[in-house]
Amino acid sequence: MPLLTGRTVVVSGVGAGLGHQVAAAVVRDGGNAVLGARTEANLAKAAAEIDPDGAHTAFRATDITDEGQCEALAALAAERFGRLDAVVHVAAWDSYFGGLEDADFATWRSVIDVNLLGTLRMTRACLPALKERGGSVVIIGTQSSVAAPSQVRQAAYAASKGALTSAMYSLARELGPHRIRVNTVLPGWMWGPPVEAYVQFTAYTEKVPEADVLKRLTERMALPELATDGDVADAAVFLASDRSRAITGQSLLVNAGELMR
């Protein structure tokens, strides 16, 4: 039986990359996917590609910095499918780069508002429905929160995601009595639109073949290729399903063995 037969999963941050792959995996594995992101046109496009007849998807434009919009997305799951079993948090601000010396702390606050507080807002909005029969909260974090990459500097992103991983432990204790599990997936470099763009841009600026840039990334992996958005989506679906019913408060690295803990 597919992992998510008859289950409904809210997926925040559905765009062209990981969020799309997570939503597609939910439908593939028998579930209903409720899609949220800020741009409705992107949601409509994703839903049409994932579920052409519209039987297993619903969507609503959602900014996770707005508590009311989070509540509306959670309510859509119950309105359309009669239940909510899991939420997978993909929505994040990951495009601000830099370290401490060049930090704009006003922007850091905004990154934290999206990545940390936005995820917590969306989680809280889902709690009434999740408490009805138990369920799962899956946070997409980042390997950068436990080991800084040498290729790019994303201190604000890493700090916000690190705080979210720390919050996971408290949430797992708090929500466990309601049979709600809380876990985090920590991707490393994963092949999808953002990394494709990085490889193309780096190759262009350094005037080297894209294969050379990709080799720099893969040569540090225990496995000889990058994980993909699809690999990370599969890990999220596993944690959203009852196959992981005894797993909570855990962080799972999906990184082709670049970092082992």
Side-chain angles (χ1 to χ4, degrees), residues 157-170:
Y157 178 66
S160 65
K161 288 291 192 174
L164 195 52
T165 299
S166 295
M168 172 193 71
Y169 300 119
S170 295

Side-chain angles (χ1 to χ4, degrees), residues 191 196 199-201 203-204 208-216:
W191 191 249
E196 290 179 45
V199 169
Q200 292 167 359
F201 176 76
Y204 174 78
V208 298
E210 291 180 16
D212 289 359
V213 180
L214 186 59
K215 183 180 178 182
R216 293 179 207 166

